[in-house]
Amino acid sequence: MRILGIETSCDETGIAIYDDGLGDRPEGILAHQLYSQIAVHADYGGVVPELASRDHVRKTIPLIKAVLKEANLTPQDLDGVAYTAGPGLVGALLVGCSIGRSLAYGWNLPAVPVHHMEGHLLAPMLEDDVPEFPFVALLVSGGHTMLVRVDGIGQYKLLGESVDDAAGEAFDKTAKLLGLDYPGGPALSKMAESGVVGRFKLPRPMTDRPGLDFSFSGLKTAAGTLVRKECQLPEGQALNAEELKQTHADIANAFQQAVVDTLAIKCKRALKQENLNRLVIGGGVSANTALREKLANTTKKLGGSVFYPRPEFCTDNGAMIAYAGLQRLKGGTHADLTFKASPRWSLDSLPAV
Ligand code: KG4
Ligand code: ZN
């Protein structure tokens, strides 16, 4: 079976075709295209929902044509159309939902609504080193931070989540305080590389009490207080450009270390609680090298390992939606002619496949 995947939940238009490789065909991604709207939103310091929707309208159809061309296929070669139905920005979701549902109708194919976070959770399955069920998944994106026990596709038990800002959101907001452009996560991580380890220490929120929930909003505020105290000095004591750059890097380093340690402490706790040693990470922040290294260490000590997608499939993309859609299609999920965008949609409400 071959399926087209359409991702438009936020500020990335991602389109891909995935083949399950039955018969004599190789399994895998036949084509994928990604258009990032970063330039559209950069001047505003964050995603402007209306601009995101309009840009998806402009890009989705041309990118679908491009993946068909790249894979050397026609719509008749497809067996289904999968689209992200939520969670995300409602206007952005509606673009993918309406285009996906209409194409499926026109091409006489089943349409498959996909949960965006299930896409992130299954993205490591696109790699050679595939994790076996059961495992614990840490999902860290711009909108979500969750720990989930995964016993199979659709068998998800939420173990913990953020009670306020998501990890990616905390990266982006702290990056802004350090003068970095949106989305600041990758830029902050780059800046942290030249920071002095240990010059500043920031809290590891909610690690001193039991439980698997997260809170990152206080950490972002603590980083902001540090920026004001260390960088915004009265005239006469102001830092020169070089000192300011170094202090920013030192704060970035302390912030990244605090997030990474906090996530690792909770992952270890979740693995021990569930008596597992396989950890899967997905979502934009799972591209973070410091986090990957730390979690590789954490799981190794438990006799297990960590699984993650290649960096381009950590952030939003069409391949993960095509893959998740194919699993759902094989499991019998079909949408009727109505379609619904679900901006809020809990992962553990999904049926098992
Ligand atoms: O999964 P994603 O592409 O979109 C959502 O579903 O939200 O995640 C985007 C988030 C942004 O907050 C971005 O700053 C963060 O992932 N991110 C990173 C890195 N790459 C992306 N954060 C830290 N380090 C990175 N290398
Ligand atoms: Zn995402």
Side-chain angles (χ1 to χ4, degrees):
M1 283 178 132
R2 292 190 191 109
I3 194 163
L4 176 72
I6 303 173
E7 157 60 36
T8 67
S9 69
C10 191
D11 58 348
E12 243 106 24
T13 317
I15 311 289
I17 300 173
Y18 189 86
D19 192 324
D20 67 357
L22 286 187
D24 53 3
R25 300 199 307 243
E27 175 171 8
I29 302 153
L30 300 184
H32 72 101
Q33 297 269 340
L34 186 77
Y35 163 76
S36 168
Q37 301 180 349
I38 285 176
V40 175
H41 304 291
D43 285 348
Y44 304 93
V47 179
V48 183
E50 179 59 25
L51 295 182
S53 314
R54 290 182 195 195
D55 221 26
H56 287 306
V57 169
R58 276 191 286 272
K59 296 293 188 230
T60 305
I61 299 278
L63 286 184
I64 291 172
K65 287 185 177 161
V67 289
L68 283 166
K69 190 165 176 226
E70 188 188 334
N72 201 16
L73 297 175
T74 67
Q76 288 76 45
D77 299 315
L78 298 173
D79 300 289
V81 180
Y83 53 87
T84 304
L89 301 171
V90 69
L93 289 167
L94 277 169
V95 177
C97 288
S98 51
I99 291 178
R101 188 67 197 88
S102 307
L103 288 178
Y105 178 72
W107 293 341
N108 201 20
L109 294 174
V112 189
V114 171
H115 192 293
H116 182 78
M117 298 313 288
E118 181 169 64
H120 278 308
L121 195 158
L122 297 178
M125 308 292 184
L126 296 166
E127 307 304 335
D128 293 338
D129 189 14
V130 173
E132 267 176 47
F133 298 113
F135 53 76
V136 168
L138 170 73
L139 303 180
V140 269
S141 68
H144 295 87
T145 305
M146 294 190 237
L147 272 166
V148 188
R149 181 191 165 100
V150 181
D151 284 287
I153 292 172
Q155 293 174 258
Y156 308 135
K157 184 176 149 216
L158 186 66
L159 303 172
E161 63 187 330
S162 178
V163 298
D164 43 50
D165 291 358
E169 190 180 355
F171 261 98
D172 294 340
K173 288 177 174 170
T174 304
K176 210 176 197 174
L177 298 169
L178 293 168
L180 298 166
D181 287 340
Y182 179 84
L188 187 152
S189 167
K190 184 100 198 57
M191 187 185 240
E193 283 173 20
S194 47
V196 175
V197 180
R199 176 172 168 206
F200 300 116
K201 177 123 172 135
L202 286 166
R204 274 71 176 144
M206 290 177 79
T207 52
D208 55 355
R209 59 181 111 152
L212 294 168
D213 284 339
F214 303 92
S215 164
F216 289 110
S217 138
L219 178 56
K220 164 206 71 194
T221 307
T225 307
L226 200 53
V227 172
R228 275 192 301 281
K229 178 167 165 263
E230 298 291 331
C231 307
Q232 294 165 12
L233 301 177
E235 265 193 39
Q237 297 169 35
L239 303 180
N240 67 34
E242 198 44 48
E243 290 164 339
L244 187 64
K245 195 172 161 209
Q246 188 58 51
T247 301
H248 279 167
D250 297 346
I251 295 173
N253 190 291
F255 171 80
Q256 175 169 273
Q257 206 49 57
V259 175
V260 165
D261 280 355
T262 304
L263 293 172
I265 290 167
K266 295 289 164 93
C267 284
K268 185 175 168 191
R269 205 178 275 180
L271 289 165
K272 284 192 159 174
Q273 176 188 302
E274 298 302 313
N275 200 19
L276 294 170
N277 61 13
R278 281 183 298 277
L279 179 70
V280 158
I281 52 173
V285 182
S286 67
N288 186 282
T289 319
L291 179 66
R292 288 171 174 221
E293 281 169 9
K294 177 83 184 181
L295 294 177
N297 239 316
T298 305
T299 47
K300 198 171 164 206
K301 283 185 193 151
L302 296 172
S305 44
V306 61
F307 301 81
Y308 41 73
R310 70 196 83 165
E312 63 182 319
F313 294 158
C314 288
T315 43
D316 292 348
N317 65 87
M320 68 183 195
I321 301 306
Y323 181 84
L326 190 65
Q327 309 313 312
R328 289 276 159 199
L329 180 60
K330 285 175 158 182
T333 306
H334 270 233
D336 58 20
L337 276 176
T338 58
F339 65 84
K340 197 171 124 229
S342 310
R344 290 178 169 274
W345 184 7
S346 67
L347 182 68
D348 53 1
S349 69
L350 294 179
V353 167

